Structure formats: C-alpha cells, structure tokens
Amino acid sequence: MLFFKIISFQKAVLIESGFFPSLINRQRRLNINLPSAYSVDEQFMDMALEEAKRAEEEGEVPVGAVLVSQGQVIARARNRPIALSDPTAHAEILALREGAAGAGNYRLPDSTLYVTLEPCAMCAGALLQARVKRLVFGAEDPKAGAVRSLYFLLEDERLNHRVDVTGGVLREECREILRQFFQDRREEDLRQGLQRSPRS
C-alpha cells in the first residue's frame, strides 16, 4: 500500500494514498508541505538566515529575507533601521523594494517572500500591496506578528488580496539566532550598568 509522507512543523505524518484529496485539503488547512516543496523552502530560508547573521554582525536585530520569483532569487535583504536611520527598513520592506525595482513593477504577483521572523503589521501590509503570492516565515513573533500570532492580515477575506502562508520553516534556527542576540544584548547592558555603578 502506498503512503504519502508529509512534513508538519515538528513531525512526519503518513497518510494512505486513497485519501489524497483530503490530504490536499488538510495540507492547505494546516500549512504543511510535501517533502520536495519543504526542502526548497528550507534552502531559501537558509539564505534568509545568512542575511539575518549579517544583520547581527552589524548590530541590527537579526532578521533576514529573500524574495523569489519563478525559482530565482530576485532580492535579498536584512534588517537595517539603525544603519539607515529608517524605522521602515525591515528586511521584508527592503527585499520588496529591491525586487520591485528590479522587476520595474510595484506588483510582484508570482513571488514568494522568505523571512526568518513572522512579519509585523507594516510588513504584512506591504506584502498585500505588492500582491506577493506566498509568504514563508521561520519563527513566530508573539509580540508583534501580524500573520499568525496577533493578527491574520494576510488571510483576511475582507481584503482584495490574500497571501498563502507557510510558517515554521527552520523555526528553531530562526528562534536561536534571535534568542542569542537578545541574550548577548542583555548581558552587555548588565555589564555596562555595573561599570557605571559606583564602587562600594
């Protein structure tokens, strides 16, 4: 008997081939991908993680993004609000700007954006304005995420465009780079505080 192996966020599930139509519906509902699609997502997310590491080296919050169209990378970006003195310079926004400039079109209807952290409301709005077809993100953002954590902006049926969403790709790797960054920052703040404190 044939089985189809599908990959969820943390585990593999085997489903009999006789239930393939229901598998497709379940895949869409749970945002899980067949192995081949998932491995491609991992490859592009690896590139986004490379951008996140560059942001970390520059003292920015380590978030990276890669924009893909027809299987080709058309833009790569990382968080740069400090370097550019620009509160809108999130990785997603910069990737969309670069991709749109290269395409000569402010609409990017056949594109997929890969980003290491769930987009905020600003970035989710930009994805809708650019008519991006699909979003793939790594780690959830419980404090500012506007795709799954706090809001579901990209799937709101009241809007005239919706974006297909896949979350949790390389989740642990994306979480770890953020966790380590903020831990290092807290430790540095503590050291500086101790240095400023008067000796007893």
Side-chain angles (χ1 to χ4, degrees), residues 128 131 146 150-163:
L128 291 168
R131 300 297 191 266
L150 299 181
Y151 310 104
F152 293 81
L153 292 181
L154 300 186
E155 298 166 295
D156 192 327
E157 295 184 354
R158 295 170 296 180
L159 301 174
N160 62 357
H161 179 70
R162 282 170 290 283
V163 178

